[in-house]
Amino acid sequence: MNLRNIFIVIILTSTFACAQDKNPINTKNSHEVIVPNLVNPWSFTFLPNKSILITEKSGELIHFEDGKKTNITGLPKIYLRGQGGLLDIILHPNYEENKWIYFSYASSDNNSSGGNTTIARAKLKESSLIDLEVLYKATPDTSKGQHFGSRLVFDDSNCLFFTIGDRGNRDENPQDITRDCGKIYRINDDGSIPEDNPFVNEANAKTAIYSYGHRNPQGLTRHPKTSAIWSHEHGPKGGDEINIIEAGKNYGWPIISYGVNYSGTKFTDITEKEGLEQPIHYWDPSIAPCGMAFINSDKYGDWKSNLLIGSLKFQYLNMCTLKDNKVIKEERLLDGLGRIRSVNQGPDGYIYVGVENLGIVKLIRE
């Protein structure tokens, strides 16, 4: 082999090695398939009778009970493009009393050539949604196919938090509070704006905004002990982040970042700046995070309180051990099973995971 070819091999080998995830594989776990034959289970939630509502990104809402799948009718029209479709789904904390189901999806306004993220609620009657109410619709519509978000979580006061990505408009949306997108929002459960939202008195601001400077958050959960809202988001090439969300804070995108353009060029020269929040953890290389849940049961021994995050890129469930709100250890669970799209703890205390082109599986610790 001549010197030129040796040099090329060294470069390619180094590049490939740098792109690999270095987290160790934990082999003391397995899984059981609970719901088979799903394509892209973007989200799922358990009803009080332990049956499951599942969103397929393609626009199907599935009710799984006693081994049988039933398609739920009554969905609004779903705008399907790129990363957009039928997205997250959760129950109101007082679901047994009020029966409200909340979900996010991409929709298009009349005569629009594009779409944007929308938050709605409805009730389930037999096999159909009824009493549909749109609570928030991001504007303007765009035909870009990336960065719709969108995850949902309720806080202790029954306010609804939701995420919307920057919709591919990196240089305008995330840092401008008069514009939608690139934000985490907070509304009351009926869609009204909480009086203590951080920008309610700012001229022309989108008053539902709770924090800004986000790229594409596809993970959102509440800490089981502190009740703080935790989020993760996709970086560009490198720079995926975990953040603890606080009112009115600016999380920096795209002014600061630990990532670069997909071409390898820089879009910023700084990773820190006064007034901009630092992530509590970031990944380089990116793992492409999706789905997020804390282990908050005794089913997994000393894994309790660990944070679980799906990896789309490397196809495993990332288990983060935390200390003082810092990630001190990471391990790969369900390694190689498939692209992890959604993670939830079920009413039985077990962790359930939505895996693309497989279904929903139960995590078992061996």
Side-chain angles (χ1 to χ4, degrees), residues 26-317:
N26 185 313
T27 60
K28 302 298 183 182
N29 66 97
S30 62
H31 70 279
E32 175 188 352
V33 177
I34 303 299
V35 186
N37 302 322
L38 297 172
V39 177
N40 192 341
W42 217 96
S43 181
F44 58 94
T45 189
F46 291 87
L47 291 168
N49 66 357
K50 299 183 181 179
S51 64
I52 310 174
L53 286 175
I54 306 160
T55 62
E56 282 273 18
K57 178 181 163 292
S58 58
E60 293 178 278
L61 179 59
I62 298 167
H63 183 212
F64 182 80
E65 185 175 18
D66 297 329
K68 180 183 177 183
K69 297 175 187 171
T70 302
N71 280 0
I72 301 301
T73 62
L75 280 169
K77 186 175 181 180
I78 308 295
Y79 176 75
L80 296 175
R81 186 175 180 87
Q83 297 169 2
L86 182 57
L87 304 173
D88 208 9
I89 187 165
I90 61 173
L91 304 184
H92 191 283
N94 298 327
Y95 175 81
E96 294 198 68
E97 290 76 40
N98 62 35
K99 306 303 181 185
W100 283 118
I101 299 166
Y102 292 73
F103 58 99
S104 60
Y105 61 103
S107 75
S108 180
D109 288 334
N110 292 334
N111 303 316
S112 170
S113 60
N116 217 324
T117 306
T118 306
I119 312 300
R121 69 177 182 176
K123 297 179 180 181
L124 180 63
K125 183 178 181 181
E126 296 176 349
S127 297
S128 182
L129 295 181
I130 62 170
D131 299 336
L132 177 72
E133 298 178 5
V134 172
L135 303 181
Y136 198 90
K137 166 72 165 67
T139 58
D141 284 349
T142 171
S143 59
K144 292 184 177 181
Q146 65 265 49
H147 303 175
F148 290 82
S150 167
R151 293 293 178 182
L152 314 172
V153 70
F154 279 99
D155 68 7
D156 285 334
S157 59
N158 292 346
C159 286
L160 178 67
F161 286 76
F162 59 91
T163 72
I164 301 178
D166 67 13
R167 295 295 283 109
N169 190 346
R170 180 187 71 186
D171 298 323
E172 291 185 285
N173 288 340
Q175 291 295 319
D176 187 346
I177 62 171
T178 71
R179 300 174 66 93
D180 275 319
C181 306
K183 316 293 194 307
I184 293 178
Y185 300 77
R186 176 179 178 246
I187 59 176
N188 292 317
D189 58 3
D190 62 358
S192 61
I193 306 299
E195 294 180 356
D196 59 347
N197 264 14
F199 302 114
V200 290
N201 297 317
E202 296 282 340
N204 302 317
K206 298 284 186 178
T207 54
I209 294 172
Y210 193 78
S211 64
Y212 63 110
H214 300 284
R215 186 174 183 268
N216 189 30
Q218 288 189 339
L220 197 67
T221 192
R222 191 174 67 177
H223 193 285
K225 293 181 180 177
T226 68
S227 293
I229 303 297
W230 287 49
S231 176
H232 68 60
E233 61 185 88
H234 292 263
K237 185 179 181 181
D240 297 345
E241 299 180 355
I242 302 175
N243 292 295
I244 300 175
I245 304 304
E246 297 183 50
K249 295 294 180 69
N250 182 347
Y251 288 82
W253 176 255
I255 300 171
I256 60 173
S257 178
Y258 288 91
V260 297
N261 289 316
Y262 290 113
S263 64
T265 60
K266 290 185 177 182
F267 58 87
T268 180
D269 291 320
I270 58 174
T271 56
E272 298 182 37
K273 186 176 181 180
E274 186 176 356
L276 304 182
E277 300 303 303
Q278 280 290 298
I280 69 163
H281 186 71
Y282 72 91
W283 291 275
D284 190 6
S286 296
I287 67 168
C290 199
M292 189 180 196
F294 285 95
I295 298 176
N296 188 35
S297 78
D298 296 323
K299 297 293 186 181
Y300 297 97
D302 60 1
W303 289 1
K304 187 174 183 178
S305 300
N306 287 355
L307 179 64
L308 300 175
I309 295 171
S311 170
L312 296 170
K313 180 177 180 180
F314 294 115
Q315 302 189 17
Y316 68 88
L317 183 64

Side-chain angles (χ1 to χ4, degrees), residues 321-338:
T321 302
L322 304 168
K323 183 178 181 181
D324 299 327
N325 289 338
K326 296 294 182 184
V327 177
I328 61 171
K329 182 181 179 182
E330 295 179 82
E331 297 173 84
R332 302 166 70 133
L333 309 180
L334 305 179
D335 187 55
L337 190 62

